[in-house]
Amino acid sequence: MKSNKQKCLKDDNNTLKRGSNILSSIFTIILLGLISACSDSSDDTDGTGYFKLYNASKNSPTVYLEIDDEAITQASFSESSTLYPMERQSYQLDLLWKEDTNSYNEFYQQELNITDDDISLIIVSGDFDNPEIIIFDYYDEQQDLEDDDDQERFSLNLVNLTSTHPSLDFYVSADNESFNEAVLVESAIGKVITDSHLFELESYVFYITESGSEEVIYQSASLDYFYTTQYVIAIRENTGPGDSPVTIDQIGRTGSAVEISDKDA
């Protein structure tokens, strides 16, 4: 009987050890699961950013844009695409032009990094025989504008894409004022996007001078702003009528860019 009792005790101890091992395994699995969940949270790629295409190359054909070998959009000179939302990650960006009905020539390939709450503005500029591709990343402040209960405003970022005017001063006045009352917004330096500037929803006139000069080389007609939204003002060489050496394209979030010519053009 003594040996049987000892055998029972040994069996009980083995059972307890097996139970302890099982509990330890379960705890390890739970712990690994928690670590994995924390890791997944830190590597979350569910964020959303945006991109859009703008063509400022005056002698370019229509430019086609592909993301990861999928055709997405296109833009002819002085046009822009709408804003496209994309998950936060890296993509292959390809720019092409159409040689004939079934033939496309790729002239640019680059990794495009989409980041949370940013807009990637992809610009084709310069002579299309040797085009310059510029990608500006700037903050998408649309939600901030819409959430502002105190004021209804729109925002402007400035881009100077001219090759002959490395720095231009951009002024704004109320539509019933002259350049004498205009306020200097910022000096737009070549190939750099400025910080955004906020304006109340009103009617305005835009002016451009050479930096440091008060001689107006561009003046818009009266412009009405009714919507709380975000714009990029692209300054480029004037290829149309009129004596002004520059003109501007207003790039909104949706639809194509709109050229705002000098008021005397």
Side-chain angles (χ1 to χ4, degrees), residues 27 43 61 64 68-69 92 94-95 99 109 121 129 131 137 154 164 176 199 205 218 220 228 231 248 253 261:
F27 177 76
D43 294 334
Y64 297 83
D68 289 347
D69 296 322
Q92 178 180 299
D94 293 286
L95 298 177
E99 186 171 8
Q109 184 179 91
L121 179 60
D129 289 336
D137 295 319
F154 68 96
T164 54
N176 59 352
F199 300 89
V205 175
Y218 167 93
S220 74
T228 298
Y231 300 99
I248 65 176
R253 294 177 64 85
S261 302

Side-chain angles (χ1 to χ4, degrees), residues 16-34:
L16 288 172
K17 288 179 180 179
R18 286 196 298 272
S20 176
N21 290 337
I22 291 171
L23 289 174
S24 177
S25 298
I26 292 173
F27 177 76
T28 301
I29 291 171
I30 292 173
L31 181 60
L32 289 174
L34 290 173

Side-chain angles (χ1 to χ4, degrees), residues 52-58 60-64 73-82 121-125 161 234 236 248-252 254-259:
K52 71 182 306 167
L53 172 67
Y54 167 57
N55 186 352
S57 175
K58 64 182 180 181
S60 75
T62 298
V63 172
Y64 297 83
T73 190
Q74 63 190 63
S76 298
F77 172 56
S78 82
E79 293 181 349
S80 67
S81 70
T82 191
L121 179 60
I122 304 159
I123 300 176
V124 182
S125 66
L161 298 175
R236 59 175 175 81
I248 65 176
D249 287 331
Q250 180 174 271
I251 305 169
T254 60
S256 184
V258 176
E259 182 178 0

Side-chain angles (χ1 to χ4, degrees), residues 1-250:
M1 293 297 294
K2 185 175 181 180
S3 60
N4 288 339
K5 186 176 180 181
Q6 289 176 343
K7 183 177 184 298
C8 290
L9 289 173
K10 289 180 180 179
D11 289 343
D12 288 344
N13 288 336
N14 289 336
T15 300
L16 288 172
K17 288 179 180 179
R18 286 196 298 272
S20 176
N21 290 337
I22 291 171
L23 289 174
S24 177
S25 298
I26 292 173
F27 177 76
T28 301
I29 291 171
I30 292 173
L31 181 60
L32 289 174
L34 290 173
I35 293 172
S36 175
C38 292
S39 175
D40 289 345
S41 176
S42 64
D43 294 334
D44 179 32
T45 58
D46 290 338
T48 300
Y50 301 87
F51 79 87
K52 71 182 306 167
L53 172 67
Y54 167 57
N55 186 352
S57 175
K58 64 182 180 181
N59 63 337
S60 75
T62 298
V63 172
Y64 297 83
L65 181 148
E66 292 182 353
I67 295 291
D68 289 347
D69 296 322
E70 180 180 351
I72 302 294
T73 190
Q74 63 190 63
S76 298
F77 172 56
S78 82
E79 293 181 349
S80 67
S81 70
T82 191
L83 203 63
Y84 288 89
M86 302 287 286
E87 289 185 359
R88 181 189 68 194
Q89 64 183 62
S90 296
Y91 301 88
Q92 178 180 299
L93 165 68
D94 293 286
L95 298 177
L96 311 94
W97 62 276
K98 194 173 184 178
E99 186 171 8
D100 54 44
T101 304
N102 298 311
S103 177
Y104 291 83
N105 288 327
E106 177 188 288
F107 65 93
Y108 181 82
Q109 184 179 91
Q110 181 65 44
E111 184 179 82
L112 177 66
N113 295 310
I114 298 297
T115 55
D116 279 356
D117 301 325
D118 278 350
I119 298 172
S120 293
L121 179 60
I122 304 159
I123 300 176
V124 182
S125 66
D127 187 334
F128 197 71
D129 289 336
N130 186 26
E132 183 176 8
I133 312 302
I134 310 167
I135 301 178
F136 291 122
D137 295 319
Y138 59 99
Y139 177 57
D140 174 24
E141 58 187 332
Q142 182 66 30
Q143 195 61 53
D144 293 348
L145 292 169
E146 293 176 357
D147 291 344
D148 187 351
D149 296 328
D150 296 327
Q151 298 184 72
E152 290 187 321
R153 298 184 292 182
F154 68 96
S155 71
L156 294 179
N157 296 77
L158 307 175
V159 174
N160 178 2
L161 298 175
T162 65
S163 58
T164 54
H165 305 276
S167 183
L168 294 167
D169 289 346
F170 187 84
Y171 291 81
V172 173
S173 77
D175 68 333
N176 59 352
E177 296 177 335
S178 69
F179 178 68
N180 292 330
E181 289 79 44
V183 175
L184 175 62
V185 176
E186 188 165 343
S187 294
I189 301 171
K191 311 301 188 295
V192 175
I193 191 166
T194 69
D195 293 334
S196 67
H197 298 271
L198 299 176
F199 300 89
E200 295 182 0
L201 300 184
E202 297 287 352
S203 298
Y204 296 95
V205 175
F206 297 157
Y207 311 85
I208 297 173
T209 72
E210 298 281 1
S211 282
S213 170
E214 293 189 354
E215 180 181 352
V216 177
I217 62 173
Y218 167 93
Q219 179 177 336
S220 74
S222 177
L223 304 169
D224 298 325
Y225 287 89
F226 300 124
Y227 304 106
T228 298
T229 190
Q230 187 172 13
Y231 300 99
V232 172
I233 295 294
I235 308 171
R236 59 175 175 81
E237 274 91 6
N238 177 28
T239 59
D243 296 327
S244 175
V246 299
T247 188
I248 65 176
D249 287 331
Q250 180 174 271

